[in-house]
Each structure stands twice: as C-alpha cells, then as structure tokens.
Amino acid sequence: MKYAYYPGCSLRGTGRAYEESLLAVFRALEVEVEEIDDWNCCGATTYMSVDELTSYALASRNLALAERDHSEIIAPCAACYLVLNKTQHYIRDYPDIKLVVTRALDAIGLKYHDKVRVRHPLDVLLNDVGPKAIAAKVKVPLNGLKIAPYYGCQIVRPYSTFDDQGDPTSMERLLEACGAKTVHYPLKTTCCGGSQKGTLPEVGLDLIHYLLSEAQKNGAEVITTVCPLCQFNLESFQKEAGDRHHPTAVPVLYFSQLLALALGAPADAIGLQRGFVPIGPVFANKEIAYA
Amino acid sequence: MELKRTVKFEADRDPEFARWISHTVGGERIRHCLQCGLCSGKCPLSLYMDYTPRRLMHLSREGFKEEVLGSSSIWLCTACYACMVNCPKSINVTHLLYALKQRAIEERRYPRRFAIPVMARQFSDMVRGSGRITESWLILRVFLRTSIWRLLGMSGLGLKLLRTGRMPIKRERIQRRAEMEKLLDSVAATRKELAI
C-alpha cells in the first residue's frame, strides 16, 4: 500500500532534517509514500486560536486531496497530525462545521468523504513495519547509545490511538530495535512551551531548561524528538536556557535521524550536519561507525 | 495605597458571557466541572498563571468576564492538552482556552505590540496569500511589528539557521493559490449565513 505523505511547512524549513531522515527510513524499509498534490498549511496551533472554522476548512482541503488516491496519510509534524485529526473529529461531531467545510471544498471542486486515516510515522513504523523487521535491517547498531525519548504534547494528546497519552513507549521500542538504550525520562510528554519562547520568552526558557536538565541528569547522551517545534526549542535555545539556569549540552535529534543512521544512510543525507550541538563526539565515544 | 474589594459580587457577573462560553463549540460540558483541580495540577504553565485552569473554568461559567479576559492564563496556554485528557468529566479545557483567546483577540484585550495576536494575524495573512508558511519570513514579520531589538538579538540564531540550510529565503507557495481565496471566502460567507 502507498501512503499519502503530508510534510507540512516546518519540514521544508527549520525541520528539514526530519524530512530528509524520515524519507531515508521509508526508503530503507520499503514504505512507499507519495506527497499530497499541492498540499497547503494545516493552520497549526496559531490559526486554530484566531479562527477555528477557517482552520477546519484549510485542513480539510488536504484531507480531500489525499482521499482521492489514498486511504492513509502519514503526518510527521505534531501540529499537522493534531490538526488533521481534530478536523476529522469536529466534522463528525458538529453539523455546522461539516456544512462550512463541505461548502468551502465545493467552491474549489473537492469532496471529503471521511474515508482517510491520519497516522503518525511512529505508528506506521511500529505497527505496519514492526521492530523485528527493522532490527533485521540494521547495518550500524547504535551500541547502547543512551537516549531520552521526548514526545512532547500533540502527537500523544488528545487524539492519538496508537500509544499511551502520558507514558508512550513507541519511540523506545523502535530505537531499542536499533541497539540503543533509553533512559528513564518522566518528562517525556511535558510541554516544551511551543511558540512561547517567541512570545513570553522567560516562561519558554524555563520549560526548555527543565526538559534538558532532566535528560542530562538521567544520563541521556542524546534527546530524540518527533516534533519540529520541540526539536527547534530544545536545540536552538539550549545556550540561552543554560545561561538563565545552569548549562547543559545535549544534542537533540529527530528519532528518524537515528533510525536512518542505523539503517545505513549516510550522515550528510539525513541532516546530521544541520544540528547546533555537535553529535560527532557522542557517536565516536560509542564507537558508532556510521557512513 | 489602593484598596480593592477582594470578594466578587453577584452584580459583577455578565450573564451573556456565561451563556456564550457554555455554548461555544467544544465547550458544552463546562457546566459539568467538579472543580477537582486535575487540570491545574497537570498544567505545565499553571505555576505562572494568575487564574489557574480550574479557576478559569469556574469564573467563566459564572460570567466573570473581566477577570477571565484580563487573565494572563489565556496567553500562557500552549495547547498541550494535558488538562483535557485528564479531566474526569471530559471537559474540553484546551478548546475552552482557545475560545477565550479568540474572544480576547476579538475584543483587543492585550498590551500594545503583544506578540501573540500579531503572530496570529501574520500567520493567517501568509496562509491566505501563499497557502503555506515560510517560517523565516513569518518570524521576521512578527518581530518587525513587535520588537526590533529582539530581532537584532536573534541575528546570531538566524545566521546559524542560514548556515545549516534551515532557513530558506525562498517563499513556499502552493500552485493553485486562487483556491485559498475561494476556500476562505466560502467559509466567511457560510459563517455569516449561519451566524456562527
């Protein structure tokens, strides 16, 4: 089966490494994807907070476009994943919203039949491919690399059905299949502050610091994320958060970067050179001989 | 010394506001709130708030509009949904906070040059025009309208992003841009017709 692929705006900007590495993982595991034709912005958390009705119409254009040729969409970005799911729920639950969306789509010659399922790459990799199949294809074992798996909010709450909302474990299972070790990380679903760093910086920096220092304290050599905004916050403001509290130095990668690396993808093809906190020394220390 | 009454009076209530919040999409269950406080306990931002989510639920369903719309909590909420998934009465706390934020923006209850409404406006303009968001341009536009000084302070980060290829200058756009306008105009027309 071929999945519809909905990258979203961040994966074309600050989150480029997420897309590069995820597509490498899909290639290595023979997961076929096709980008949704002429997809638009999902509206994200920002649009939702000014004009919800419009944001449902925006999201539904993508659902309708995907539905023409596919029965499942893969949405890697946390905000996109949430918004597409929420839109489906609200169209089902509220006749007024359904009417607004149906008419808006009609105006651009599209129809939505509620026949497409929105899924996260973690879900697809774990449940459609499976840790065993992944382990069988590992070329560069992660040699016990100690990872703090950080999920953030919007993948697991409120609509996800593939994992626990407070203590998810899908990332652990995938990374452990590649030879990594995961550390105890109770803050794994606590919010990173989202765009708070831009709007109310003091608060944003506090939240970022708690997440980083907890990971470091529990022995993590790297933090893995599933969300472009989480990755950006934890990495780009690590120094600033450290200046405000006490310094930390933990590289922050997308989970897909480590999976792709283990599956034999070359480092510069999966965006490892795009990070700010150098990862090279960590790999050298673990004798991970990546391509 | 300014002395203020600390107990709220029945007369301070705005019944229209109470009606509005309990009829907002997703907010219908607010009347079921037990005031148990699990939302506030789970909220990672509640320790910065003047009114915690539990108090906001109660104040808004009773119609204390001034307190609610003047509260910092509306702007602190990051929509992490911790409150909502833990509510024993299945109240959509996060969606209620969204509704309050929309109302506060509509009524312009925020400080001058406050970044959140500016960001929201710039975001929706960019979607209408291009169909997609180019993060670098969005951030630039927001800071130009809020704080030039902070923009200068961010230039180091900007350079790092440029160097690592994470801040493309080229604007992302969809091909069938006319569809965006038609889609958004249709939403506005139906909204008017249904008065929602």
Side-chain angles (χ1 to χ4, degrees), chain A residues 9-10 12-14 16 37-41 43-54 57-58 61 65 82 86 90 94 96-97 99-100 103-104 107-108 153-154 157-159 165 191 193 196-201 203 206-207 210 231-232 235-237 273-274 276, chain B residues 25-28 44-45 48 75-82 84-85 92 95 98-99 101-102 105 114-116 119-121 123-124 127 131-133 135 143 150 154 157 160-161 164-168 172-176 179-180 182-184 186-187 190-191 193-194 196:
Chain A
C9 306
S10 289
R12 295 289 151 88
T14 51
R16 268 181 82 179
D37 163 54
D38 208 33
W39 57 268
N40 57 273
C41 169
T45 314
T46 320
Y47 219 120
M48 209 55 114
S49 58
V50 269
D51 183 349
E52 269 186 86
L53 265 186
T54 307
L58 284 172
R61 179 173 176 273
L65 286 170
L82 172 87
K86 181 175 177 182
Y90 272 47
Y94 295 97
D96 279 356
I97 293 177
L99 183 68
V100 169
R103 283 195 190 169
I108 55 171
C153 322
Q154 301 194 333
R157 289 187 301 263
Y159 294 117
Q165 293 178 327
C191 181
Q196 212 73 294
K197 171 62 186 70
T199 49
L200 301 164
V203 178
D206 282 1
L207 297 187
Y210 302 145
Q231 198 280 341
F232 185 72
E235 182 182 57
S236 313
F237 305 117
Q273 79 284 11
R274 301 192 193 282
F276 298 158
Chain B
V25 167
E28 305 85 352
L45 278 319
Y48 299 92
W75 311 108
L76 279 161
C77 172
T78 58
C80 83
Y81 291 89
M84 190 162 137
V85 300
N92 292 340
H95 298 166
Y98 267 133
K101 193 189 282 187
Q102 283 169 37
I105 291 178
F114 189 42
I116 293 175
M119 165 114 147
R121 178 57 48 216
F123 193 99
S124 51
V127 172
R132 288 185 193 170
I133 293 294
E135 293 161 322
F143 280 120
R150 279 190 56 211
M154 301 263 293
L157 175 61
K160 269 163 101 185
L161 287 170
T164 50
R166 289 161 68 178
M167 202 168 80
E172 281 281 333
R173 285 194 170 96
I174 63 168
Q175 286 152 18
R176 303 189 290 275
E179 289 188 9
M180 276 298 106
K182 280 188 199 158
L183 188 90
L184 300 182
S186 161
V187 174
T190 318
R191 183 206 306 271
E193 188 189 319
L194 300 178
I196 47 175

Side-chain angles (χ1 to χ4, degrees), chain A residues 235-244 248, chain B residues 160:
Chain A
E235 182 182 57
S236 313
F237 305 117
Q238 185 153 176
K239 165 105 191 11
E240 217 176 313
D243 290 345
R244 188 172 156 85
T248 55
Chain B
K160 269 163 101 185

Side-chain angles (χ1 to χ4, degrees), chain B residues 102-122:
Chain B
Q102 283 169 37
R103 181 84 184 242
I105 291 178
E106 262 169 48
E107 298 194 8
R108 300 190 169 274
R109 296 193 186 224
Y110 45 80
R112 239 184 115 241
R113 292 181 163 274
F114 189 42
I116 293 175
V118 174
M119 165 114 147
R121 178 57 48 216
Q122 294 303 318

Side-chain angles (χ1 to χ4, degrees), chain B residues 140-169:
Chain B
L140 191 68
R141 283 188 188 183
V142 171
F143 280 120
L144 282 176
R145 282 165 181 82
T146 50
S147 162
I148 304 268
W149 294 114
R150 279 190 56 211
L151 183 66
L152 293 175
M154 301 263 293
S155 57
L157 175 61
L159 281 175
K160 269 163 101 185
L161 287 170
L162 267 179
R163 216 179 304 131
T164 50
R166 289 161 68 178
M167 202 168 80
I169 303 298

Side-chain angles (χ1 to χ4, degrees), chain A residues 2-23:
Chain A
K2 218 183 222 176
Y3 300 87
Y5 170 60
Y6 180 59
C9 306
S10 289
L11 270 69
R12 295 289 151 88
T14 51
R16 268 181 82 179
Y18 195 4
E19 170 159 79
E20 291 164 336
S21 56
L22 190 64
L23 293 180

Side-chain angles (χ1 to χ4, degrees), chain A residues 9-279:
Chain A
C9 306
S10 289
L11 270 69
R12 295 289 151 88
T14 51
R16 268 181 82 179
Y18 195 4
E19 170 159 79
E20 291 164 336
S21 56
L22 190 64
L23 293 180
V25 171
F26 288 157
R27 272 193 300 275
L29 298 172
E30 292 159 24
V31 174
E32 279 191 278
V33 294
E34 185 180 30
E35 189 171 316
I36 297 177
D37 163 54
D38 208 33
W39 57 268
N40 57 273
C41 169
C42 72
T45 314
T46 320
Y47 219 120
M48 209 55 114
S49 58
V50 269
D51 183 349
E52 269 186 86
L53 265 186
T54 307
S55 83
Y56 300 129
L58 284 172
S60 67
R61 179 173 176 273
N62 298 308
L63 294 170
L65 286 170
E67 221 182 44
R68 295 193 300 195
D69 302 308
H70 301 279
S71 57
E72 304 206 343
I73 304 178
I74 296 184
C77 167
C80 299
Y81 178 78
L82 172 87
V83 169
L84 294 182
N85 269 303
K86 181 175 177 182
T87 301
Q88 291 194 310
H89 275 86
Y90 272 47
I91 291 176
R92 277 173 217 150
D93 294 347
Y94 295 97
D96 279 356
I97 293 177
K98 188 174 180 181
L99 183 68
V100 169
V101 165
T102 310
R103 283 195 190 169
L105 290 177
D106 200 41
I108 55 171
L110 287 173
K111 288 216 172 341
Y112 170 64
H113 305 95
D114 196 7
K115 283 202 178 120
V116 67
R117 207 170 138 213
V118 181
R119 301 185 66 194
H120 192 265
L122 278 180
D123 176 16
V124 170
L125 292 173
L126 193 70
N127 298 312
D128 296 6
V129 182
K132 267 193 194 146
I134 293 174
K137 289 197 173 168
V138 168
K139 293 191 180 128
V140 183
L142 296 178
N143 291 349
L145 178 71
K146 284 189 270 176
I147 298 172
Y150 176 56
Y151 295 79
C153 322
Q154 301 194 333
I155 295 296
V156 284
R157 289 187 301 263
Y159 294 117
S160 124
T161 45
F162 69 93
D163 212 335
D164 191 85
Q165 293 178 327
D167 185 17
T169 53
S170 29
M171 219 184 324
E172 281 91 324
R173 283 182 275 167
L174 292 171
L175 292 166
E176 281 164 10
C178 300
K181 278 206 164 58
T182 49
V183 303
H184 180 57
Y185 194 44
L187 296 183
K188 60 166 100 160
T189 59
T190 303
C191 181
C192 73
S195 51
Q196 212 73 294
K197 171 62 186 70
T199 49
L200 301 164
E202 299 82 6
V203 178
L205 286 175
D206 282 1
L207 297 187
I208 290 166
H209 178 73
Y210 302 145
L211 293 169
L212 289 167
S213 60
E214 177 81 2
Q216 189 158 288
K217 198 176 79 197
N218 292 354
E221 293 163 302
V222 52
I223 296 176
T224 53
T225 65
V226 282
C227 166
L229 195 51
C230 296
Q231 198 280 341
F232 185 72
N233 276 337
L234 293 186
E235 182 182 57
S236 313
F237 305 117
Q238 185 153 176
K239 165 105 191 11
E240 217 176 313
D243 290 345
R244 188 172 156 85
H245 297 272
H246 58 83
T248 55
V250 200
V252 187
L253 297 180
Y254 293 103
F255 80 101
S256 49
Q257 287 179 288
L258 284 179
L259 283 190
L261 183 110
L263 293 166
D268 57 352
I270 55 173
L272 281 180
Q273 79 284 11
R274 301 192 193 282
F276 298 158
V277 184
I279 183 76

